[in-house]
Amino acid sequence: MSYGEVLSTLYIELTSFYKRRIDLRDASFQQMIALIVIPIDGIEMSGISEKLGIDNSTATRLIDRLISKNWVVRRKVQSDKRIIMVELTGEGKKMQILYENEFNKAGEIIRKMIGHSDRQKLIEAIFQLNWTLLKNNSIK
């Protein structure tokens, strides 16, 4: 199997695994992911598009839905009115914590399925993969 096949299979299986085990609480999977990637001090709209790998128009619709749930707000940056920040509301912070806890519970299920001797090797390999992806994604 090639890297591409392994990674696409991993992506599909992880997404399926999470969708079956995470209580989305009246949100779509994409909305949940968007909520999780918003840092405590907010993120630019363009940053959401980049982080999620989606078009700006798709990100706008996604954020509109989160606004309608009262989970995020948009605001213009005072120093540069062209920049629009997305920030979590109090309810959005609660939902972010809830979703992070849901991911942790799902991760615990996976941890228990993997033998003790393989856990550390797997964690190191995942960290390496994540680091490689972070470096690659930061190159414009």
Side-chain angles (χ1 to χ4, degrees):
M1 233 184 196
S2 71
Y3 271 9
E5 290 172 303
V6 170
L7 292 174
S8 65
T9 300
L10 175 63
Y11 174 77
I12 291 164
E13 292 303 325
L14 268 176
T15 301
S16 175
F17 177 82
Y18 284 132
K19 283 183 176 182
R20 284 182 280 140
R21 285 170 178 78
I22 291 179
D23 181 357
L24 294 174
R25 311 277 172 117
D26 193 35
S28 70
F29 191 75
Q30 188 76 357
Q31 290 169 352
M32 177 201 61
I33 297 297
L35 201 64
I36 286 174
V37 302
I38 299 172
I40 201 72
D41 56 344
I43 187 171
E44 291 182 25
M45 278 294 296
S46 60
I48 291 175
S49 299
E50 288 176 24
K51 196 79 172 159
L52 299 179
I54 58 178
D55 294 334
N56 288 337
S57 61
T58 304
T60 298
R61 287 190 301 276
L62 184 60
I63 295 305
D64 286 345
R65 289 187 201 102
L66 295 178
I67 289 170
S68 71
K69 295 175 185 297
N70 193 36
W71 293 351
V72 300
V73 293
R74 264 195 215 106
R75 69 168 180 81
K76 290 184 178 182
V77 173
Q78 292 299 318
S79 60
D80 187 344
K81 302 279 189 207
R82 296 171 297 173
I83 299 173
I84 298 174
M85 294 294 290
V86 176
E87 298 172 345
L88 296 168
T89 63
E91 188 63 26
K93 290 174 187 174
K94 289 178 192 173
M95 294 306 295
Q96 187 183 62
I97 290 167
L98 182 138
Y99 289 141
E100 287 170 350
N101 288 338
E102 289 286 317
F103 268 99
N104 287 336
K105 285 191 278 185
E108 188 61 20
I109 292 169
I110 293 172
R111 187 190 71 78
K112 288 178 180 176
M113 294 188 305
I114 297 170
H116 181 70
S117 62
D118 291 330
R119 285 182 195 150
Q120 191 58 39
K121 289 186 276 188
L122 181 59
I123 292 276
E124 289 171 12
I126 292 171
F127 271 119
Q128 181 64 43
L129 175 61
N130 192 52
W131 177 248
T132 301
L133 292 172
L134 283 169
K135 285 193 309 189
N136 185 348
N137 288 339
S138 68
I139 299 170
K140 303 229 180 203

